[in-house]
Amino acid sequence: MTALPMNRRLVCLSMLGASAAWTTQASAFARYDSSTKVFRLDGGETTYAFGVNNQGQVQALYWGGRLADGDTPGTPISIRDHSSVDLSTSVTPQEFPAFGGGMFVEPALKVAFTDGARDLVLRYESHRITDQGITVRLKDINQAVYVELRYVMDAETGILGRSAVVENRTRKPIRIDQLAAAALNLPIEEDYQLHYLTGRWAAEWTLQSRPLTAGSTVLESRRGDTGHQNNPWFAIDRKGVSGEENGPVWFGALAWSGSWRITLDQDPLGVVRIVGGYNPFDFAYRLMPGDTLESPIFYAGYSGHGMGGASRLMHRFQRRAILPGGENAPLRPVLYNSWEATEFHVDEPGQVALAEKAATIGVERFVMDDGWFGARNNDRAGLGDWTVNRTKFPNGLKPLIDRVKGLGMDFGLWVEPEMVNADSDLYRAHPDWVLSMPGRPRTEGRNQMVLNLARRDVRDYLLKVLDDLVSQNDIAFLKWDHNRNWSEPGWDQRAVEDQQQVYVAFTQNLYWIITELRRRHPKLEIETCAGGGGRVDLGILTMTDQAWPSDNTDPYDRLTMQDGFSHAYAPSVMMAWVTDSPNWVNQRTTSLEYRFLSSMQGGLGVGANLNHWQDADFATAKRLIAEYKTIRRTVQRGDLYRLISPQKGSNRSVTLSVSPDKSQAALFAFVHSSTKLDPQSLIQLRGLDPRATYALRAYAGPQAAADATALNPVRASGAYWMEHGVDSPLRGDFQAAGFVLDRI
C-alpha cells in the first residue's frame, strides 16, 4: 500500500502563543521547550528551530525571520512514508541524516563497519545548552557510534554555525566514507533561485544564478584546497519576491580550506536540503575505537532584505567573529608589491629604489615578492629553500628592511611554504616529502610539487623555517601563496587503510602552522593567496588578515569580480592593486584615476612598475592615496550597497559604502562606454540617515568637481540623496568618478 501525500512545509503556522514552556539556560539566545521537545536559537533578525519527534529523529522545523518570544516555530512529528519508494526516513527533514534505515537523500554521515554493515540509524540521546549554544548527542540504534551536533548563533547577525563530531566507542575501527557539518532544510516553495560563485585562474568570482528545481546541484572542490572553480558559498532567494534590497535570502558558507562539497537538492516532494562538509570523493577515514572526527563548520544565515542585506550580514559577521582581531583589528594598510615591476629579478638596489618611490605616494607597507631566496631566478628552481639569496642580497634582508622602515613603511615578504621544485636542496634531501603514490609519476604544475603537510615532520620543518625567517628579520607581513592544486594525494607513511586521511590532516596542519606562527609573532599579518583567489573561505580567514582575489588586476574585470566577491566576503579583506596600463591580461588601456577608483573599493594596493611612472603619475597617486585614507574606515568597516551591478553586461557599476554611524559615505561610479548621448539615471543612495544633512564632494573623475557642483546641491538631507539621487553623468570609455558625503 502507498501512503497519501502529506503537506510537509517546515514552517508550522499554528501558534501556541505564550503557553509555550520555553526554558532558557545559560545562553540568552538558545532555549529548549521540554513539553514539545523543540530547540530554538534567536539572533539578530533570525530564528532557527528544530525538535525531536516521536521516533527520536532530530527534525528541522524553522529557519527564517525572527519570531516573537511566545511563538512556537513548529511541532516535530513522525512523518509517514510518502509511498513505498519514499520512506519516512527520507521524507522527514532531518537535521543530520545518516545513511541507513531506508535513507535515499544525500546523507550527512555514511560509515562502514568491519563486518560489512553500512547502515547507521541515529536517534536523539541527550542535549545540553551552554553559553556557546546547543549541543545535541545522537547515537546509532545498536552500535556505540555517537554524533555530537553543535549549534552556535551570533547574537547580532543571527548567523548560525553548525558542526558535527563523530565518536567511535565500539571495540573495532569504523570507516567514515562521508561526513558533513550539517544538513539545512527549507520549506516547500516553487520559485527558489540559487546563487553561487564559480571561476578559473584570472576569472574568479563569477556570480551564477539558476532556478533551484527538482534534482541535485553539486558545488565542490576535489583539488585539495578551496579552489578557483567553485567557492564554498551559496545563497537562495525567491524569484519575483526577492531582489538586491528586499525579500528573503537564505545563505551559507563552509569554513574549510581543503576538498569540500555542498549538495543542494530539491526532493520529489519539494523540500530543499543543503548538505555541506568534507568532499566524499576519494575520501575514507578509519576511526579507531575511542577516536573522534570533527567536521568543518558550516555557517548559515537569513536576511529579509535581499542579497544586499545578506552580504552585509556576512561582512559584519566576518569582521566580528571570523577575522583575527575581530572589531579591534587594524585597518588594511596601503601596500606596494614589487612583483609586476621586477618579477624574479629582485636585488637590494632595485628593491630600495622601488621602496623610495613608493614612500613618496603614501604607501604604508612594502612587500617584496618572489625571487629573493635560494636559486630562485625563475619558476623552475628554488622553491623549498627559504634562505636569502646572497648574490642578490649580500648582507641578508636587514639593509633593505632598515631602509624600508626608515622610509616610514613596514616590510612584507612573499612565501609559498607548501610547495617545492624538483630543482631545490629540499627536494634533493627529502623527495619522500611530496604528495605522491608509489610507482606513479609525480605530476608538476608550474614546475612544482606539493609538500605533504599531513606528515608531522613536514609540518614541523615548515613551522621552523617560517619562525626563523620572521624571528631573524623585522617582517610585518607574509603574502602566503599556493600556486597549484594537488595530484597523486598519497601518504605512504601510513597504512593503506589510513592514507586518505591526508584530506583532513593536511588542512588541519596548515591551520596549525599558521596559528602557531601567529602565536609566536602576534603582530605578524598574513594574506591568503593561491594563484589568485584559489583559497578564500571562512576557514582560512579565521587566521589570515586579507585575501588576494585574483591575479587578474585589470580594473574593469575587477569590477565584476569584486562584485561577486562581495556577495560572500567582506571588502575589508579584499585586496586590489593599481597596476600598469595597458594591463597584461587584456591589453586594455585605462586612466590612472580609473584604476585607483576600481581598487579603492577594498584594501588598496599598488603593483605598478614605479620606475616607468612620470611626475604626473606620482602626483595623481599621492592625491588619491591621501583621499583613500580619509574614507578607508568607511570602505573597510562600513555597510556596502551595490547600487548598480556590473553583472550581465551592465554598462555601469556603482557601489556605496556607509560608515556604521552613518556619518560618512563613499560613492564609486563607473561607466564602460557611453553611446549616442544616452542619458544616465540618477544614483539613488541607500543607508544614510534621512534626517541628517550631508555635504557632497567629488574628488576624482573627468571634470568631477565642476560637474558635481553644477548638477548637485553642495549639501542636502540624507532623504534627498536617497530619494532624489546624485547626478554623475560619465562620458567616454572606461570612465569613473569618486564622491564623499560627510554628515555636517
Side-chain angles (χ1 to χ4, degrees):
M1 295 179 63
T2 57
L4 294 175
M6 299 184 67
N7 179 355
R8 300 196 298 105
R9 283 183 180 270
L10 299 178
V11 182
C12 178
L13 300 179
S14 63
M15 303 293 183
L16 297 181
S19 63
W22 295 111
T23 57
T24 303
Q25 296 186 17
S27 172
F29 298 94
R31 334 181 224 189
Y32 176 65
D33 181 354
S34 58
S35 66
T36 59
K37 297 183 179 180
V38 171
F39 299 90
R40 172 172 166 172
L41 297 103
D42 295 289
E45 299 180 3
T46 301
T47 294
Y48 187 93
F50 59 98
V52 181
N53 65 26
N54 55 14
Q55 292 185 358
Q57 297 167 325
V58 181
Q59 180 180 338
L61 295 176
Y62 179 85
W63 176 26
R66 187 158 183 167
L67 305 178
D69 283 349
D71 294 339
T72 298
T75 301
I77 59 173
S78 177
I79 296 177
R80 294 183 299 164
D81 296 346
H82 175 73
S83 68
S84 60
V85 296
D86 289 302
L87 305 180
S88 173
T89 304
S90 286
V91 298
T92 299
Q94 295 187 56
E95 287 282 280
F96 198 80
F99 177 72
M103 171 68 66
F104 304 119
V105 299
E106 182 72 15
L109 178 62
K110 183 178 182 295
V111 306
F113 297 96
T114 55
D115 63 1
R118 300 187 309 280
D119 182 82
L120 192 71
V121 179
L122 298 175
R123 293 291 184 260
Y124 167 86
E125 185 181 73
S126 63
H127 75 272
R128 62 183 184 275
I129 297 179
T130 68
D131 290 338
Q132 288 72 44
I134 299 172
T135 299
V136 175
R137 190 169 176 81
L138 311 179
K139 180 187 176 299
D140 179 62
I141 53 175
N142 58 22
Q143 292 275 13
V145 176
Y146 293 82
V147 178
E148 190 171 88
L149 306 183
R150 297 174 178 175
Y151 298 77
V152 179
M153 179 172 279
D154 180 59
E156 180 179 314
T157 63
I159 291 180
L160 176 71
R162 288 194 55 188
S163 60
V165 181
V166 182
E167 181 182 5
N168 178 14
R169 294 177 64 180
T170 72
R171 296 180 179 180
K172 295 181 179 180
I174 63 173
R175 189 185 72 228
I176 299 177
D177 294 324
Q178 186 166 342
L179 175 60
L184 302 165
N185 295 267
L186 294 180
I188 298 169
E189 296 292 354
E190 297 179 353
D191 54 6
Y192 283 131
Q193 290 188 122
L194 172 64
H195 308 272
Y196 56 105
L197 294 163
T198 66
R200 61 181 188 276
W201 179 77
E204 298 92 329
W205 312 106
T206 301
L207 185 65
Q208 306 282 1
S209 300
R210 67 167 68 169
L212 189 54
T213 57
S216 297
T217 299
V218 177
L219 310 175
E220 67 173 350
S221 170
R222 300 179 177 185
R223 299 168 178 265
D225 63 8
T226 318
H228 298 71
Q229 185 175 351
N230 293 288
N231 189 266
W233 167 89
F234 74 90
I236 297 171
D237 65 6
R238 295 182 58 194
K239 186 176 182 179
V241 177
S242 306
E244 176 65 18
E245 296 295 337
N246 60 277
V249 178
W250 296 263
F251 57 93
L254 191 65
W256 183 243
S257 308
S259 295
W260 58 271
R261 189 172 80 176
I262 297 174
T263 302
L264 303 102
D265 287 291
Q266 187 178 70
D267 72 16
L269 300 183
V271 169
V272 170
R273 307 168 190 263
I274 306 114
V275 179
Y278 297 127
N279 196 326
F281 175 80
D282 195 39
F283 183 88
Y285 197 105
R286 186 167 65 156
L287 200 62
M288 302 302 289
D291 285 351
T292 61
L293 176 61
E294 185 171 356
S295 77
I297 301 176
F298 201 179
Y299 291 102
Y302 170 83
S303 171
H305 305 287
M307 294 290 285
S311 59
R312 286 189 292 275
L313 285 177
M314 279 292 274
H315 301 167
R316 201 172 309 144
F317 174 69
Q318 290 164 27
R319 294 193 301 265
R320 277 171 45 84
I322 296 294
L323 297 171
E327 294 177 315
N328 297 318
L331 296 173
R332 296 296 84 219
V334 178
L335 67 77
Y336 178 80
N337 183 285
S338 67
W339 172 252
E340 293 197 15
T342 60
E343 295 190 356
F344 297 105
H345 307 296
V346 301
D347 57 30
E348 185 178 315
Q351 296 296 300
V352 167
L354 287 169
E356 290 172 344
K357 293 179 175 67
T360 66
I361 60 175
V363 166
E364 298 160 316
R365 170 171 288 165
F366 181 86
V367 182
M368 180 166 63
D369 211 278
D370 202 350
W372 59 268
F373 55 91
R376 190 68 168 171
N377 298 311
N378 50 56
D379 65 9
R380 296 185 295 276
L383 269 183
D385 300 336
W386 300 105
T387 55
V388 178
N389 184 309
R390 291 290 175 160
T391 301
K392 299 177 180 182
F393 300 91
N395 300 303
L397 297 179
K398 188 176 187 305
L400 171 61
I401 295 174
D402 287 348
R403 181 57 179 148
V404 167
K405 291 182 68 66
L407 291 166
M409 301 178 289
D410 66 28
F411 182 78
L413 203 59
W414 178 95
V415 293
E416 193 175 6
E418 299 150 80
M419 302 293 165
V420 66
N421 288 126
D423 185 2
S424 68
D425 293 340
L426 180 64
Y427 184 77
R428 284 185 283 270
H430 299 285
D432 56 319
W433 278 13
V434 301
L435 288 175
S436 61
M437 293 181 177
R440 307 301 300 173
R442 298 185 174 190
T443 304
E444 296 185 14
R446 198 175 181 252
N447 304 300
Q448 61 196 55
M449 293 167 283
V450 184
L451 291 170
N452 183 2
L453 263 65
R455 292 176 58 128
R456 184 74 171 266
D457 49 0
V458 175
R459 185 201 77 173
D460 293 346
Y461 171 81
L462 289 181
L463 174 63
K464 184 180 187 307
V465 167
L466 294 168
D467 184 34
D468 288 348
L469 182 65
V470 177
S471 298
Q472 295 166 13
N473 300 280
D474 192 355
I475 296 172
F477 170 83
L478 293 177
K479 181 179 176 68
W480 188 304
D481 212 340
H482 179 92
N483 274 308
R484 63 154 295 188
N485 300 132
W486 290 16
S487 57
E488 299 87 46
W491 186 4
D492 58 8
Q493 263 192 325
R494 290 294 189 95
V496 171
E497 298 89 347
D498 296 325
Q499 290 191 13
Q500 286 156 288
Q501 293 182 12
V502 67
Y503 286 101
V504 176
F506 185 109
T507 302
Q508 288 177 336
N509 280 346
L510 168 68
Y511 290 168
W512 183 89
I513 292 170
I514 299 175
T515 301
E516 178 62 17
L517 185 65
R518 296 195 65 153
R519 186 192 69 80
R520 298 182 185 185
H521 305 279
K523 295 182 180 180
L524 179 69
E525 295 186 346
I526 297 176
E527 176 180 283
T528 175
C529 174
R535 189 156 67 193
V536 181
D537 58 80
L538 295 186
I540 200 70
L541 287 177
T542 62
M543 56 203 75
T544 56
D545 305 272
Q546 59 192 54
W548 182 232
S550 178
D551 288 344
N552 183 347
T553 57
D554 181 293
Y556 175 70
D557 284 358
R558 274 296 185 104
L559 295 180
T560 51
M561 296 165 78
Q562 292 172 179
D563 180 271
F565 185 98
S566 74
H567 280 75
Y569 302 105
S572 60
V573 303
M574 182 182 71
M575 294 306 299
W577 293 357
V578 176
T579 56
D580 287 324
S581 179
N583 187 272
W584 65 271
V585 177
N586 300 303
Q587 295 301 306
R588 179 180 288 123
T589 299
T590 53
S591 70
L592 189 56
E593 270 199 344
Y594 184 95
R595 284 175 269 154
F596 261 98
L597 290 172
S598 176
S599 298
M600 287 166 65
Q601 296 172 89
L604 177 62
V606 178
N609 188 345
L610 302 182
N611 295 321
H612 296 164
W613 276 17
Q614 304 299 313
D615 289 346
D617 298 321
F618 283 100
T620 297
K622 183 176 182 178
R623 174 175 60 84
L624 291 176
I625 287 175
E627 290 284 0
Y628 176 74
K629 291 176 181 178
T630 70
I631 61 173
R632 167 166 48 187
R633 180 171 292 275
T634 295
V635 169
Q636 295 185 16
R637 299 285 174 81
D639 287 331
L640 175 66
Y641 294 87
R642 296 180 290 262
L643 301 181
I644 300 177
S645 171
Q647 303 289 345
K648 299 179 181 179
S650 170
N651 194 43
R652 300 173 73 189
S653 174
V654 182
T655 66
L656 179 74
S657 298
V658 181
S659 63
D661 64 359
K662 301 184 183 298
S663 64
Q664 186 184 70
L667 180 66
F668 300 91
F670 302 84
V671 67
H672 177 274
S673 55
S674 60
T675 58
K676 302 176 183 177
L677 289 177
D678 286 343
Q680 296 173 10
S681 60
L682 299 177
I683 303 170
Q684 292 178 304
L685 309 189
R686 299 189 66 87
L688 303 179
D689 180 347
R691 294 168 295 183
T693 299
Y694 292 87
L696 176 72
R697 179 173 65 87
Y699 63 85
Q703 299 181 329
D707 288 345
T709 302
L711 299 173
N712 298 285
V714 174
R715 59 185 63 181
S717 69
Y720 175 90
W721 300 121
M722 292 189 290
E723 300 299 334
H724 178 275
V726 174
D727 196 351
S728 176
L730 294 171
R731 306 293 181 197
D733 298 336
F734 304 111
Q735 297 297 314
F739 301 86
V740 179
L741 294 96
D742 287 303
R743 187 172 61 197
I744 57 176

